Amino acid sequence: MKNFKSAIALILAVLMTVPFAVISFAAEEDGSYEITNPYENVKWDEVTAYKTALHTHTNASDGDDTLKASIQRHAETGFDLVATTDHGTVNYSWTENSENKIIYGAMSLIGKTEGPIVPLDKEGVFDNGVAYSVITENGDDYLVLEDGRKILRVPFGNENNALSVNAHVNGWFADFTQTKITTYEDAVKGIDNAGGVSVINHPGEYTKARYEIRSEEAYNEDNFIYRYYINKFASLIDRYDSCIGIDMNSKGDNRTRFDRILWDNLLKRFAANGENVYAIASSDAHNLDIIDSGYVLALMPELTSAAFRSSLENGEFFAASHCLGNYDELCDVAAALKEFYGETELYTKVNGTAEEMLARIEAIENGELPADEDIGITYSTLEDGYNTAEADPRITSIEVNEATDEITVSTTDALIVRWISDGKLIETQKADGATLDLNSYADVLGDYVRVEVFGEGGIVYSQAFLLDASVKAGTSEPVDSSYADWGILDFLVAEFNNWFAIIGRFFSNLF
């Protein structure tokens, strides 16, 4: 009997431990994080990463070159979609003049543009001898090159706020414009009412963050002025779903070199509420030589405007650039290149660019250069308007494993992968099958993580992966309750902030 009771006790003990073992196993399989993946619905073997120009100008406003010359250069540099976004000028066609007579006349009067507007012919030949035709299929306009390659015209491109002081907003899919001095809100609201999609352009130009010398000063929320602007942009994105985010690397990345900090500040606010903020890169090309500097890689199953709009609104795209102008980022990239690959030619170029930038920074801080001097130095793969790198880095797929809390990025022509959370670099890896185990960084992770991929041909930025978004939804406000918009005159705030910094540096050099 004693042995029988002992056997029963043993069986009961085993049975009692089974549920807990199952629970324990299930907990390990479920992982610690809910990961919201913006690319969750992307079927990587069925999409193409279409190279997209979202911000470009012609002599219809303040560009140097004609529409025909601009489209030729975009074709030469491998673009699949192009949005013509002249100031205050809705683009209706590539074969007819999309002219705002007030804007064209004003730009001509002050010497910002000259010469006749030259659209494309229905059938013609570019100056480089390549024949083309312009066709319409299912309501979309395409340029068809003689080799059969197509370039889609993004409908209704326009850079709004033509007469405002750098309060520029790009709009697409919206037959809307204004020819008067206006605010960010006027543009974003107008595009929203017209059923379009918008992005806040090169914010560092408006906020004057482009004139900061060190990263720790740019968009520092301890600075009342920067906190005001972060609230301003957050308020627009919060209230208008059609405003998907900001342009954070444009035109060689000189004026936007700190706008990744702004993007991270916005992400911190929105991700804490379970929401995302998207970022694009662009050329903002006013001349042919800068056309291929920044662009978007839209992940689409087909080359149509409907597919493109869907990719924009759902964050199913990457931002990319052939230029990088942030000193701290370049130092981190150079250190990783040296660690993983040694002192290669690319390391020497990146590190040399960083050293040039540091010399300029120190010269400004020491009073040897004008206190409001732009840094004006970037890592670039462009020469005479064409990319000189043999291949551009690309993200070919992203796998999120919530059971193991891992995000894996597959790439081509990439060297390093940088993982950022809450604006902090938390890990740098070789690009070959780079995987981030979130559990290894639980003590430093914020509400999101994003990835940057660097190679000889430049940099690619993913959109952010949100952490536990459904739990956080509705628990935080992206905009400070004390925020009040100062309206059309708030650009003066940035001007004063910039001059106070300049005066401060001047007097610090005297004493």
Side-chain angles (χ1 to χ4, degrees):
M1 179 65 70
K2 182 176 180 181
N3 290 337
F4 176 76
K5 289 182 178 180
S6 297
I8 293 297
L10 178 62
I11 292 170
L12 289 173
V14 170
L15 290 175
M16 290 177 66
T17 61
V18 169
F20 292 103
V22 172
I23 292 171
S24 176
F25 176 76
E28 289 179 6
E29 284 297 300
D30 288 344
S32 304
Y33 295 94
E34 171 201 8
I35 306 170
T36 303
N37 175 12
Y39 307 103
E40 179 179 7
N41 296 320
V42 173
K43 298 179 180 178
W44 295 99
D45 57 347
E46 298 179 14
V47 301
T48 298
Y50 289 102
K51 187 175 179 180
T52 305
L54 282 179
H55 188 176
T56 187
H57 295 276
T58 75
N59 67 338
S61 60
D62 60 346
D64 293 345
D65 306 285
T66 65
L67 173 63
K68 184 176 181 180
S70 172
I71 299 302
Q72 175 183 321
R73 180 59 62 86
H74 281 93
E76 291 170 344
T77 50
F79 281 89
D80 302 297
L81 297 89
V82 176
T84 305
T85 56
D86 280 306
H87 294 279
T89 306
V90 178
N91 180 260
Y92 297 105
S93 169
W94 281 345
T95 58
E96 299 177 9
N97 285 349
S98 295
E99 177 186 349
N100 182 326
K101 294 185 182 298
I102 295 175
I103 296 298
Y104 182 64
M107 295 293 179
S108 300
L109 186 65
I110 63 176
K112 285 281 190 178
T113 192
E114 61 182 19
I117 298 172
V118 182
L120 300 176
D121 299 312
K122 290 286 187 180
E123 294 186 356
V125 179
F126 286 123
D127 290 346
N128 60 6
V130 174
Y132 69 85
S133 61
V134 179
I135 65 170
T136 300
E137 291 182 348
N138 299 317
D140 284 334
D141 293 339
Y142 297 90
L143 174 80
V144 183
L145 301 172
E146 62 184 18
D147 63 1
R149 188 163 66 89
K150 290 183 177 180
I151 300 176
L152 173 67
R153 181 182 71 86
V154 179
F156 301 131
N158 182 8
E159 183 168 26
N160 280 277
N161 292 16
L163 301 180
S164 297
V165 186
N166 293 325
H168 294 169
V169 174
N170 253 31
W172 312 278
F173 305 103
D175 188 359
F176 166 79
T177 193
Q178 2 177 49
T179 309
K180 59 181 180 179
I181 297 177
T182 53
T183 66
Y184 275 114
E185 174 113 24
D186 294 325
V188 172
K189 182 178 180 179
I191 295 167
D192 185 80
N193 287 340
V197 179
S198 69
V199 155
I200 296 164
N201 287 342
H202 44 71
E205 185 146 295
Y206 192 79
T207 64
K208 305 305 178 188
R210 65 178 296 180
Y211 294 111
E212 292 293 357
I213 309 302
R214 301 280 185 176
S215 292
E216 54 266 27
E217 299 299 329
Y219 298 110
N220 186 331
E221 294 210 32
D222 291 336
N223 180 325
F224 166 76
I225 305 304
Y226 283 132
R227 190 169 186 86
Y228 168 82
Y229 279 112
I230 293 166
N231 275 301
K232 183 181 183 74
F233 298 139
S235 177
L236 291 170
I237 295 167
D238 184 47
R239 289 182 292 117
Y240 299 100
D241 290 341
S242 58
C243 184
I244 62 172
I246 67 169
D247 180 359
M248 52 74 205
N249 185 326
S250 72
K251 195 187 287 186
D253 196 37
N254 181 28
R255 62 186 174 166
T256 55
R257 65 185 179 276
F258 297 123
D259 286 348
R260 268 86 69 195
I261 299 174
L262 171 61
W263 183 27
D264 282 314
N265 280 334
L266 290 169
L267 279 171
K268 282 189 284 187
R269 287 168 172 251
F270 280 87
N273 196 42
E275 301 173 274
N276 215 329
V277 177
Y278 303 138
I280 71 164
S282 75
S283 69
D284 188 9
H286 287 69
N287 61 71
L288 300 183
D289 285 351
I290 201 68
I291 277 176
D292 198 20
S293 56
Y295 52 99
V296 157
L297 296 165
L299 304 171
M300 307 189 298
E302 59 182 358
L303 187 60
T304 65
S305 62
F308 176 60
R309 177 166 187 156
S310 176
S311 75
L312 273 186
E313 293 177 329
N314 294 305
E316 295 172 347
F317 63 91
F318 303 118
S321 180
H322 288 131
C323 305
L324 187 60
N326 182 287
Y327 170 72
D328 296 303
E329 292 171 356
L330 284 169
C331 287
D332 290 337
V333 167
L337 290 173
K338 184 177 181 179
E339 176 185 355
F340 296 142
Y341 303 100
E343 295 188 10
T344 62
E345 184 177 343
L346 179 59
Y347 160 77
T348 300
K349 180 177 180 180
V350 174
N351 191 59
T353 303
E355 289 178 345
E356 284 186 66
M357 293 181 72
L358 179 59
R360 179 70 65 86
I361 289 169
E362 291 177 341
I364 293 172
E365 291 178 333
N366 295 333
E368 298 168 14
L369 286 176
D372 58 347
E373 181 80 20
D374 254 331
I375 301 301
I377 299 169
T378 62
Y379 169 81
S380 176
T381 68
L382 298 181
E383 186 175 310
D384 298 327
Y386 294 92
N387 178 28
T388 60
E390 292 185 2
D392 298 334
R394 292 287 184 263
I395 297 174
T396 56
S397 68
I398 297 176
E399 179 184 350
V400 173
N401 189 331
E402 287 201 27
T404 60
D405 294 328
E406 291 179 322
I407 305 174
T408 299
V409 177
S410 298
T411 62
T412 57
D413 298 305
L415 295 170
I416 63 171
V417 170
R418 305 169 73 244
W419 301 91
I420 291 100
S421 182
D422 270 13
K424 299 180 179 66
L425 178 64
I426 62 171
E427 175 68 280
T428 304
Q429 301 171 333
K430 271 190 169 182
D432 186 18
T435 297
L436 183 73
D437 181 354
L438 297 178
N439 292 309
S440 298
Y441 299 92
D443 58 335
V444 294
L445 280 177
D447 297 308
Y448 71 92
V449 63
R450 62 180 182 84
V451 64
E452 298 178 358
V453 173
F454 182 87
E456 181 184 356
I459 190 164
V460 178
Y461 306 86
S462 81
Q463 304 307 323
F465 300 83
L466 305 185
L467 305 180
D468 300 327
S470 64
V471 176
K472 296 169 183 173
T475 63
S476 177
E477 290 293 337
V479 184
D480 292 348
S481 60
S482 60
Y483 167 73
D485 195 325
W486 294 4
I488 201 166
L489 295 179
D490 70 7
F491 74 91
L492 292 173
V493 175
E495 292 287 355
F496 286 129
N497 190 53
N498 180 47
W499 281 105
F500 285 146
I502 291 170
I503 292 168
R505 286 196 291 271
F506 173 78
F507 280 106
S508 67
N509 290 328
L510 291 181
F511 302 102

